[in-house]
Amino acid sequence: MPLYEHVMIARQDLSNSQAEGLIEHFGAVLSDNGGSLVDSEYWGVKTMAYKINKNRKGHYSFLKTDASAAAIQEMERLMRLHDDVMRVLTIKVDAHEDGPSVQMQKRDERDSRRERR
């Protein structure tokens, strides 16, 4: 099956457990439609560059999935209808990277960055 990565932004007034519950909810939607949630990360509350629906901050979550296109379309449809989800970005990837995402790595571990002057 194709591999996908999703970044989801939820409303800032949710608690951490409610934001992580959204990950479980959409993982269950995928499994009901024949897909699977490979890995997920909760990135926490971050400040956005501009306001979305009068919110300056949001709960960021990262999902790695292995599912058919129909299962992804159903999950995205339900995300758009959900009141707590503000934005979703989905991309198709050839392979999932091992280990934590760039957002979860410590600044010292990022090797591809130039030194500051």
Side-chain angles (χ1 to χ4, degrees):
M1 279 194 249
L3 303 174
Y4 294 92
E5 292 181 353
H6 314 272
V7 176
M8 175 178 62
I9 305 174
R11 291 184 306 127
Q12 67 184 359
D13 56 346
L14 297 176
S15 67
N16 291 349
S17 60
Q18 287 174 321
E20 291 174 358
L22 286 174
I23 297 172
E24 295 172 7
H25 171 70
F26 292 118
V29 169
L30 278 178
S31 62
D32 291 345
N33 290 305
S36 65
L37 183 63
V38 176
D39 191 19
S40 65
E41 294 177 357
Y42 173 67
W43 290 348
V45 178
K46 296 191 177 287
T47 304
M48 296 183 281
Y50 56 91
K51 288 184 181 180
I52 300 174
N53 299 337
K54 298 182 182 178
N55 291 307
R56 180 62 76 184
K57 295 182 179 187
H59 290 272
Y60 281 71
S61 303
F62 179 67
L63 309 169
K64 295 179 183 178
T65 60
D66 182 11
S68 65
I72 297 298
Q73 287 175 349
E74 178 64 16
M75 183 184 76
E76 284 184 334
R77 185 184 74 81
L78 292 175
M79 283 181 170
R80 283 193 303 269
L81 293 174
H82 204 285
D83 292 336
D84 293 334
V85 178
M86 293 190 300
R87 290 283 192 273
V88 177
L89 173 70
T90 301
I91 59 169
K92 186 175 181 180
V93 294
D94 294 328
H96 291 301
E97 294 183 12
D98 294 333
S101 65
V102 175
Q103 285 288 331
M104 296 301 287
Q105 293 175 2
K106 292 182 182 174
R107 188 165 281 234
D108 299 336
E109 295 174 3
R110 297 182 195 161
D111 56 350
S112 65
R113 203 161 161 170
R114 296 183 302 173
E115 289 185 25
R116 295 184 183 202
R117 294 182 188 181

